[in-house]
Amino acid sequence: MHNNITMPTDVSIITTYRCQMECKMCDIWQNWTDPKKEITPQELEMLPNFKFVNITGGEPFLRDDLEDIIEVMYKKSDRIVISTSGWHTQKILKLAKRFPDIGIRVSIEGLSVKNDDLRGKEGGFDKGLRTLLGLKKIGVKDVGFGITVSNKNSNDMLWLYELSKELGMEFATASFHNSYYFHKDDNWITNKDEVTEDFHELIQRLMKENSPKSWFRAFFNLGLINYIQGGKRMLPCEAGTANFFIDPYGDVLPCNGLEEKYWKESMGNIRDVDTFEELWFSDQANKVRDLVRTCPKNCWMVGTAAPVMKKYIKHPAKWVVKNKIKSLMGKEICTDFIPTCDVGQDPRQGDLRISEQYKEVLEKIQCNDNENGCGCS
């Protein structure tokens, strides 16, 4: 059953849960890791080679040995991207000068006022933008920023998209999720119509670009609309096969979307094995892959969506070709119809099993969200 499992191509290394920001959609900052217990660069030496490495946190630049981690991982992959708040401008520029081929993605949640409110730190937008401009000035090419869309910032997403085009930078999107990683269980979009309309507009603009990468990003954003609307994933989740996460204590997890209310289980810990292969092909790792196959969640995050978009490329490609033609003809791209691609996945995956208690919590969130005009009486 598991004979077709091969070595992974992508990894996300959660270097720390320490973070100086105080984001409203993420409570990592209230659950710091002990720096003395975090994985070391030496412990990462056992990892295999990859096509893509994401260095994330918390805030990776709170690690004093981050450059040592990057040095280790550059022996294993040609492409490394660090996700950061952009707060530590001088540290980021110093690292980028040492590793000019590094990718840097700065999280920005809106224009100045909105960003600083959502990220809980005054001046966060200014520091993030200063970091981005500084990276561009010293010649770093793989630079960009991204937004995590919540109930309050979807319109700012469109302005940030235009800003990214003017600056010639990458622009990524996400929707907030609930998981152990974010320490949140109330991240629910309640103004669905407004947020969906803004994503709809973003898709129109992306499809008008001349870049195939932008067209496939439009497909990814269609998946975010689908997630917000509560639909099953357009493509299956295969977390723990092509990709995985390592947490700050060395646990190997299939993704960062797990919730203990459904299930949360480690594939193993790199500190407990002599080789990574011993962990990756273990009975425990296979057990976790089986849990992924029947996972009830319908997450749509780039870490698990991108690998299956590449693996089952004909499905997003079909949508892209059809809708690029429509865009060239000046026609509106329909985002009401969400294609679901059957590639033989278990029908139980993404069936959105929610307990009655959880439904009550969701209803309470929706009815209390007066700022978004939920209309409850």
Side-chain angles (χ1 to χ4, degrees):
M1 182 175 182
H2 300 288
N3 292 337
N4 60 344
I5 297 299
T6 58
M7 293 296 281
T9 59
D10 297 15
V11 63
S12 293
I13 302 174
I14 308 170
T15 54
T16 182
Y17 287 142
R18 291 176 283 148
C19 188
Q20 77 289 324
M21 309 307 282
E22 298 179 2
C23 297
K24 293 183 177 179
M25 61 284 185
C26 174
D27 283 344
I28 277 182
W29 57 276
Q30 298 190 69
N31 296 272
W32 278 33
T33 39
D34 181 348
K36 295 178 181 178
K37 298 179 180 179
E38 292 171 348
I39 46 177
T40 66
Q42 293 74 26
E43 288 173 321
L44 296 173
E45 292 276 7
M46 74 154 55
L47 295 180
N49 294 334
F50 300 98
K51 292 181 179 179
F52 175 72
V53 175
N54 175 225
I55 303 293
T56 186
E59 173 52 69
F61 284 92
L62 287 177
R63 292 278 305 236
D64 293 331
D65 57 354
L66 182 60
E67 290 192 18
D68 297 332
I69 291 175
I70 300 302
E71 189 169 11
V72 169
M73 296 314 299
Y74 257 127
K75 298 173 186 175
K76 302 177 180 298
S77 179
D78 292 332
R79 182 150 192 259
I80 300 175
V81 173
I82 305 177
S83 301
T84 175
S85 65
W87 186 266
H88 303 278
T89 303
Q90 294 310 313
K91 281 186 178 181
I92 296 170
L93 295 179
K94 177 177 176 288
L95 181 142
K97 287 175 182 177
R98 179 178 172 185
F99 303 102
D101 293 332
I102 198 79
I104 302 287
R105 295 293 180 272
V106 175
S107 297
I108 295 180
E109 310 309 336
L111 300 179
S112 179
V113 173
K114 186 67 67 178
N115 175 81
D116 292 1
D117 174 53
L118 288 173
R119 295 191 70 79
K121 286 286 186 180
E122 186 175 350
F125 179 86
D126 292 352
K127 286 196 174 189
L129 186 58
R130 189 177 296 119
T131 296
L132 288 165
L133 294 174
L135 289 166
K136 193 173 179 69
K137 184 176 181 180
I138 64 175
V140 180
K141 293 181 172 58
D142 192 359
V143 179
F145 56 97
I147 181 173
T148 298
V149 173
S150 59
N151 294 318
K152 304 176 184 295
N153 64 343
S154 62
N155 188 254
D156 274 18
M157 169 181 68
L158 299 174
W159 291 106
L160 288 177
Y161 164 73
E162 296 300 332
L163 178 61
S164 72
K165 286 177 62 179
E166 291 296 324
L167 295 175
M169 295 182 182
E170 301 288 329
F171 180 66
T173 53
S175 173
F176 65 5
H177 283 64
N178 295 307
S179 79
Y180 82 92
Y181 176 78
F182 303 109
H183 296 276
K184 297 289 286 185
D185 61 5
D186 60 352
N187 278 344
W188 293 98
I189 299 286
T190 50
N191 55 336
K192 293 183 180 180
D193 290 345
E194 177 185 350
V195 175
T196 296
E197 181 56 36
D198 288 330
F199 272 115
H200 171 84
E201 175 59 27
L202 179 63
I203 288 171
Q204 311 303 312
R205 298 184 192 183
L206 287 168
M207 292 304 295
K208 289 178 181 177
E209 291 192 30
N210 294 323
S211 166
K213 182 186 287 187
S214 296
W215 310 338
F216 282 92
R217 281 181 178 158
F219 181 87
F220 175 79
N221 280 281
L222 184 68
L224 289 176
I225 290 178
N226 179 55
Y227 168 74
I228 291 164
Q229 297 295 341
K232 283 193 175 186
R233 286 172 59 113
M234 298 192 298
L235 289 164
C237 179
E238 297 184 358
T241 53
N243 69 287
F244 67 96
F245 282 71
I246 299 182
D247 82 359
Y249 298 120
D251 271 318
V252 171
L253 300 161
C255 70
N256 65 339
L258 302 176
E259 288 184 80
E260 291 184 356
K261 70 166 36 266
Y262 296 120
W263 68 279
K264 177 179 179 287
E265 200 156 339
S266 169
M267 302 172 80
N269 192 296
I270 61 172
R271 290 170 168 167
D272 297 335
V273 294
D274 295 323
T275 67
F276 182 77
E277 288 81 359
E278 179 185 342
L279 184 157
W280 191 247
F281 297 108
S282 67
D283 290 341
Q284 176 60 24
N286 288 332
K287 175 188 174 184
V288 169
R289 292 186 188 102
D290 285 337
L291 290 169
V292 170
R293 291 185 183 95
T294 59
C295 180
K297 297 192 68 177
N298 69 330
C299 309
W300 190 254
M301 293 187 272
V302 69
T304 52
V308 290
M309 284 178 61
K310 293 173 184 174
K311 180 177 178 179
Y312 304 109
I313 187 68
K314 69 176 184 179
H315 295 288
K318 180 180 178 181
W319 183 90
V320 163
V321 170
K322 174 183 175 182
N323 286 283
K324 182 57 184 176
I325 293 172
K326 290 181 71 173
S327 179
L328 289 170
M329 296 173 65
K331 294 182 178 180
E332 186 88 356
I333 294 168
C334 176
T335 57
D336 293 333
F337 172 72
I338 309 289
T340 301
C341 308
D342 184 359
V343 295
Q345 63 266 43
D346 192 305
R348 291 172 292 176
Q349 188 184 78
D351 66 5
L352 311 178
R353 300 187 288 275
I354 299 179
S355 67
E356 290 303 316
Q357 180 182 5
Y358 203 44
K359 287 180 180 178
E360 291 175 7
V361 171
L362 178 56
E363 289 171 1
K364 188 178 296 185
I365 292 168
Q366 291 173 326
C367 293
N368 286 339
D369 200 349
N370 294 325
E371 289 183 13
N372 293 309
C374 91
C376 296
S377 57

